[in-house]
Amino acid sequence: MRFWLCSTIQSCSRNNSSSGFTLIEILVVVVALGIIATLALTSWQAFIETRKLNDAQEKVYWAMRQAQSQATKEKITSQVTLREYDGLVQWAVHPADPDQFIADNIINNHQLWNNLHPNVQIFQEENERGKKETTFSKNSSQQVWRVLFNYQGCPVYNIDDECTKTSLRTLGQLTFYSQKVNKVKRCVYVSTILGAIRTGKEHSRANTNGKYCY
């Protein structure tokens, strides 16, 4: 242990006062720690929301793969449907109905639907180039989107379309964003009329189609 002896009371007082922190110094440290904590919290929140978007993207991608497989295996037109319901985005894979955009028994069968994470929403606005980032066929009155695959696994616009007669309108995409991190987007899109399905993310530059998520 060390012991310090002061020659005078005045020198001891000077030594004690110089070894501590002033109120201003303490306030500066507290403010700095607050700023660091805020930045760390923001970064952490962005990380969590991005993970949720990645998960939504992966689930919808595999839902489309499942629909393709089901269509070719059972020789039917299979459908992937997404909807906004009670504040959540939900998806389901089921046989297509020849008379309805989506059959009533599918809409009302709540056990068939799977939820995406809260805060994950379908991006429906136009981007700065005036292009839609979500272009899959939509029933606006029901807030429902769908993708159809015929018995050969090709994406089709109408249920009875053959691969050779399908429309380029089937080459659409579905783009997700988070309500808490607007600058981060993830998308799933059909890239060829033969049924190639890909995933993409937000870029700073648009592609040749004027889309930023690719």
Side-chain angles (χ1 to χ4, degrees), residues 74-88:
E74 301 179 14
K75 300 301 177 185
I76 61 172
T77 299
S78 186
Q79 178 170 328
V80 181
T81 305
L82 291 103
R83 70 175 180 179
E84 293 182 343
Y85 181 81
D86 198 22
L88 295 173

Side-chain angles (χ1 to χ4, degrees), residues 154-208:
C154 296
V156 292
Y157 194 78
N158 298 306
I159 289 178
D160 57 352
D161 284 347
E162 297 287 338
C163 292
T164 55
K165 295 182 179 180
T166 189
S167 170
L168 290 177
R169 290 178 294 179
T170 61
L171 304 184
Q173 73 181 60
L174 191 82
T175 301
F176 298 108
Y177 78 104
S178 171
Q179 292 177 319
K180 293 189 175 182
V181 189
N182 290 331
K183 294 297 182 180
V184 180
K185 296 182 180 66
R186 294 292 184 268
C187 51
V188 182
Y189 58 97
V190 179
S191 60
T192 71
I193 60 174
L194 294 179
I197 304 169
R198 305 188 188 282
T199 59
K201 63 180 182 180
E202 180 86 345
H203 290 76
S204 58
R205 286 187 172 185
N207 62 11
T208 55

Side-chain angles (χ1 to χ4, degrees), residues 81-172:
T81 305
L82 291 103
R83 70 175 180 179
E84 293 182 343
Y85 181 81
D86 198 22
L88 295 173
V89 175
Q90 299 180 320
W91 61 270
V93 176
H94 54 89
D97 188 292
D99 301 318
Q100 295 178 281
F101 193 89
I102 178 172
D104 292 335
N105 65 312
I106 300 297
I107 283 285
N108 298 322
N109 184 1
H110 296 291
Q111 294 182 346
L112 185 65
W113 294 89
N114 304 275
N115 295 334
L116 298 182
H117 288 284
N119 300 328
V120 172
Q121 297 293 317
I122 295 174
F123 188 72
Q124 302 182 53
E125 307 301 324
E126 291 184 350
N127 63 29
E128 61 185 40
R129 294 208 172 186
K131 300 289 186 179
K132 290 280 189 179
E133 295 282 351
T134 294
T135 57
F136 282 143
S137 182
K138 179 185 179 184
N139 184 317
S140 299
S141 63
Q142 297 175 301
Q143 283 296 94
V144 170
W145 294 259
R146 77 176 183 183
V147 184
L148 301 174
F149 295 96
N150 70 4
Y151 68 98
Q152 293 177 300
C154 296
V156 292
Y157 194 78
N158 298 306
I159 289 178
D160 57 352
D161 284 347
E162 297 287 338
C163 292
T164 55
K165 295 182 179 180
T166 189
S167 170
L168 290 177
R169 290 178 294 179
T170 61
L171 304 184

